[in-house]
């Protein structure tokens, strides 16, 4: 679903567009999404082993079939749980669900993302050389790839610098951890730092270059599940327990 002018909205609102899972959209098990500069919407469809793309996300509403679909044995996609776009180089990164019985520790990099369609092999395969790596989410920012690794007993964020050049077996440049982490379920990264929510009521903020985080308890929150910022710096936090999205005014890092 999408919502118009979210920073100005309050109370119960109706979505501007809705794409429902099923044959009308050829989208099954949506788990993550990314938006290209031209407005194309990319969706990681975990239950279909595919990434489906819809042209002009602002008008993709109702029974709309994808304009392109990345799927097949050559892609390496089995249960894609997260995707990230490097708009500058037109590269799509994808990772399979790390909690399945056959753990896949590879991050796939597909070049010419704006033209991807069909059974296309990745241009690069980043094999993460970390014991117990169980990918949950990947995020791209400034030629750095961030990967959330979440197991039953630990949570961390692996940081890969110069990600556009990585190929083959790779160890992270550094690892972000925190003793107060519960289950890290979502991160956001921009020039002001890395923001993480942990499936409870805490927001963790890592300043640029820092490996220790400031933890902030969100008053009234119970089960934070995702974090994002708009271009004006408004922060949005979703709470799956309360079934709400909180918004906070002010630039990133100023909440």
């Amino acid at each position: 679903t999408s919502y118009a002018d979210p920073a100005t909205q309050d109370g119960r609102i109706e979505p501007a567009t809705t794409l429902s899972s099923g044959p009308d959209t050829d989208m099954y098990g949506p788990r993550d999404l990314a938006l290209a500069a031209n407005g194309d919407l990319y969706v990681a469809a975990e239950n279909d082993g595919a990434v489906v793309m819809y042209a002009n996300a602002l008008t993709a509403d109702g029974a709309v079939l994808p304009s392109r679909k990345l799927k097949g044995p050559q892609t390496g996609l089995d249960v894609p749980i997260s995707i990230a776009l490097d708009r500058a180089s037109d590269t799509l990164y994808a990772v399979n669900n790390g909690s399945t019985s056959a753990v896949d520790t590879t991050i796939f990099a597909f070049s010419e993302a704006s033209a991807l369609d069909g059974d296309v092999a990745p241009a690069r395969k980043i094999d993460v050389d970390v014991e117990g790596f169980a990918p949950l989410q990947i995020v791209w920012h400034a030629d750095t790839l961030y990967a959330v690794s979440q197991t039953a007993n630990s949570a961390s964020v692996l940081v890969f610098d110069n990600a556009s050049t990585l190929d083959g077996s790779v160890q992270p440049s550094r690892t972000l951890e925190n003793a107060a982490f519960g289950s890290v379920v979502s991160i956001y990264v921009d020039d002001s730092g890395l923001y993480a929510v942990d499936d409870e009521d805490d927001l963790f903020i890592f300043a640029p270059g820092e490996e220790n985080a400031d933890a902030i308890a969100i008053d009234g929150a119970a089960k934070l599940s995702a974090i994002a910022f708009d271009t004006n710096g408004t922060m949005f936090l979703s709470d799956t327990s309360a079934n709400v999205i909180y918004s906070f005014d002010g630039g990133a890092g100023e909440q």
Side-chain angles (χ1 to χ4, degrees), residues 5 39 47 103 116 122 167 175 189 225 237 247:
D5 301 319
N47 294 350
V103 175
L116 285 175
D167 198 6
T175 300
V189 185
S225 59
L237 298 174
S247 66

Side-chain angles (χ1 to χ4, degrees), residues 16 20 22 27 34 46 57 61 76 85 100 104 107 109-110 116-117 132 160 173 211 229 232 248:
S20 299
M27 176 181 64
E46 182 182 19
D61 184 35
L85 270 176
T100 60
D104 190 338
I107 301 173
F110 299 88
L116 285 175
D117 196 13
F160 301 88
S173 307
E211 296 187 3
F229 286 81
N232 295 319
F248 297 83

Side-chain angles (χ1 to χ4, degrees), residues 116-232:
L116 285 175
D117 196 13
D119 189 6
V120 180
R124 294 177 287 122
K125 295 181 180 180
I126 304 170
D127 297 314
V128 179
D129 184 14
V130 172
E131 184 177 358
F133 175 55
L136 179 66
Q137 183 191 19
I138 54 175
V139 170
W140 174 275
H141 178 69
D143 202 24
T144 301
L145 194 64
Y146 301 80
V148 176
S149 179
Q150 178 68 62
T151 67
N153 300 315
S154 66
S156 59
V157 180
L158 310 183
V159 183
F160 301 88
D161 294 328
N162 303 313
S164 59
T165 66
L166 299 181
D167 198 6
S169 180
V170 176
Q171 293 184 336
S173 307
R174 57 193 181 279
T175 300
L176 304 180
E177 298 176 311
N178 191 289
F181 274 169
S183 299
V184 175
V185 291
S186 179
I187 63 172
Y188 177 89
V189 185
D190 63 14
D191 289 342
S192 67
L194 183 147
Y195 302 76
V197 293
D198 73 342
D199 201 30
E200 295 180 359
D201 65 347
D202 286 328
L203 167 66
F204 297 87
I205 304 176
F206 292 85
E210 297 294 328
E211 296 187 3
N212 295 312
D214 293 325
I216 300 173
I218 304 300
D219 187 30
K223 194 175 179 66
L224 298 175
S225 59
I227 179 170
F229 286 81
D230 68 11
T231 54
N232 295 319

